Amino acid sequence: MDLGLVLILLLMGAVGGFMAGLLGIGGGMILVPFITLIFSAQGFPEEAIIHMAVATSLGVILFTSMSSVRAHHRHGAVLWPVALLLAPGILLGAWCGPWIAKQMSSAGQALLFSIFLTFSATQMLLAKKAAPAEGVAQRGLPGNAAMFGAGGVIGLVAGLVGAGGGFLSIPFMTWRNVKIHNAVATSAALGFPIALAGTLSNIYYGWNTPDLPRYSLGFVYMPALLVIAAASVTLAPLGARTAHKLPVHTLRKIFAIVLYCLAAYMLRKAIGT
């Protein structure tokens, strides 16, 4: 990679890492479209580009989540019992997501990601504090089986699109009367099992794929992963600290606009593939 490309990847990692810490989103929503753009410019095999972008994004989240969750843990915000209840389902779902993605065409994956970005952006714009329940017991966290199922859905979708799962786990937890700061912090912790299972699954299912670029580990492109992760790990704690100091409503609106633009790009990619 030339110096210009390295600098672009570092900038991507910095922005993704900061947003991961700030909003508990894992950074994948930003990373996947931009990695797709870069891999396309590098002339990577067209049918493998989005698979590789998703896989590389999950590999980055593996590092980002560890950096982000440490900062949230110092504030005592991570609800570890909740994370442990969701983790088994998340591991299973995140392993299955890349297998499903492999059965899809590149255009299908791009369309799926465009829909996902549009949904996430709209969710951010319309997000309101959950209305208080009449009693915590009436809308507290469900039992173990339901938590496993919820984790499975979160992991499956996250593994499909290469994101950290915060777009589903945060609304789920706040709806169940978990305070927003705790939901964001716990979502950051859930990013690790999502990324671990998703990355290993993408390595396994992409292992024998022909014509992948040099230095690919399955669908994971290691040079991009290492450069982006270096910047992400540095900026994620700053984002986490900021989340505990500033209201994020304005930032959510700005971020939503960015997501709509990225959704338009991925839709164009789907139509043009």
Side-chain angles (χ1 to χ4, degrees):
M1 294 188 295
D2 59 39
L3 179 59
L5 180 57
V6 170
L7 291 176
I8 291 172
L9 292 173
L10 285 172
L11 178 61
M12 283 173 47
V15 174
F18 181 80
M19 288 299 180
L22 182 69
L23 302 174
I25 58 170
M29 286 188 286
I30 284 183
L31 291 179
V32 171
F34 279 116
I35 295 174
T36 298
L37 179 63
I38 290 171
F39 286 179
S40 296
Q42 294 294 305
F44 287 3
E46 190 65 36
E47 282 302 311
I49 285 175
I50 298 178
H51 292 294
M52 294 182 68
V54 168
T56 304
S57 172
L58 285 168
V60 171
I61 294 169
L62 192 61
F63 295 93
T64 303
S65 62
M66 289 189 289
S67 179
S68 176
V69 76
R70 279 200 303 268
H72 283 297
H73 179 68
R74 292 191 193 104
H75 289 87
V78 181
L79 301 179
W80 290 109
V82 175
L84 290 174
L85 282 174
L86 288 169
I90 277 176
L91 287 167
L92 178 61
W95 176 270
C96 294
W99 177 82
I100 294 174
K102 190 176 180 181
Q103 317 310 311
M104 301 172 65
S105 67
S106 184
Q109 262 197 300
L111 179 60
L112 174 65
F113 202 88
S114 179
I115 294 170
F116 159 69
L117 286 173
T118 302
F119 168 77
S120 299
T122 304
Q123 184 184 64
M124 283 191 172
L125 285 178
L126 301 180
K128 297 180 181 179
K129 189 174 181 180
E134 294 179 6
V136 174
Q138 292 184 356
R139 205 168 67 194
L141 291 168
N144 292 356
M147 289 290 278
F148 179 87
V153 172
I154 292 167
L156 180 67
V157 179
L160 270 170
V161 298
F167 58 94
L168 290 177
S169 60
I170 293 174
F172 169 71
M173 285 185 277
T174 54
W175 181 59
R176 290 292 181 169
N177 282 331
V178 175
K179 293 180 180 178
I180 183 61
H181 287 314
N182 295 119
V184 169
T186 306
S187 173
L190 294 173
F192 182 80
I194 286 171
L196 178 63
T199 300
L200 292 176
S201 182
N202 272 297
I203 292 172
Y204 179 78
Y205 289 116
W207 192 259
N208 292 318
T209 301
D211 301 323
L212 291 180
R214 192 179 180 188
Y215 305 121
S216 295
L217 195 61
F219 286 125
V220 180
Y221 187 55
M222 295 303 297
L225 185 156
L226 295 175
V227 173
I228 297 171
S232 294
V233 168
T234 303
L235 270 292
L238 177 61
R241 289 195 296 270
T242 304
H244 292 276
K245 294 178 181 179
L246 298 175
V248 296
H249 303 295
T250 301
L251 287 171
R252 282 181 179 273
K253 291 178 181 178
I254 295 171
F255 191 53
I257 294 171
V258 174
L259 292 184
Y260 280 128
C261 293
L262 295 176
Y265 166 74
M266 295 302 285
L267 179 60
R268 180 183 174 187
K269 186 77 177 172
I271 294 172
T273 301

